[in-house]
Amino acid sequence: MTCSIFVFCEPLTGWCHAQANERRTKVDWAEQIRQLLQVYYPDAPKIRLVMDNLNTHVIASLYQAFKPQLARELAKRLEIHYTPKHGSWLDIAEIEIGVLSKQCSQRRIPSLPDLNREIYAWETLHNSSPAKIDWQFTTDDARIKLKRLYPNL
């Protein structure tokens, strides 16, 4: 069996959430976003979401999964930033996925419910003493490393 694991992480607090699904469809993504906004951050007026640029990760997916009123409410609370193809912003999530893999899922797990129990246990332990991510890639560093992306003024 294979599956897709959705991972959310908040670098400044060290909080992390992960969940395994059978697949990675638009409706699966929309449900993860609904949980993020309604369960984990119900009082946040706006969430800045940095994510990879997959065809399932679009606002239209919310409208495919939910009634228009709910989809609109969720969409208004999102500020989406897609990463460039080789963007370092995703490294933060990749680090968390690597930790999850090494500490939890680096073996055969017989079923999706078993995997999600393992992930939940890992997540609970991880979030009980979260490690903040000290991202040190500055704008000045970006202007040097990614100079082809910055215009010459």
Side-chain angles (χ1 to χ4, degrees), residues 42-61:
D43 299 324
K46 185 74 75 174
I47 299 282
R48 285 186 190 97
L49 189 59
V50 178
M51 62 184 177
D52 49 359
N53 198 350
L54 295 175
N55 66 335
T56 56
H57 297 176
V58 293
I59 293 295
S61 298

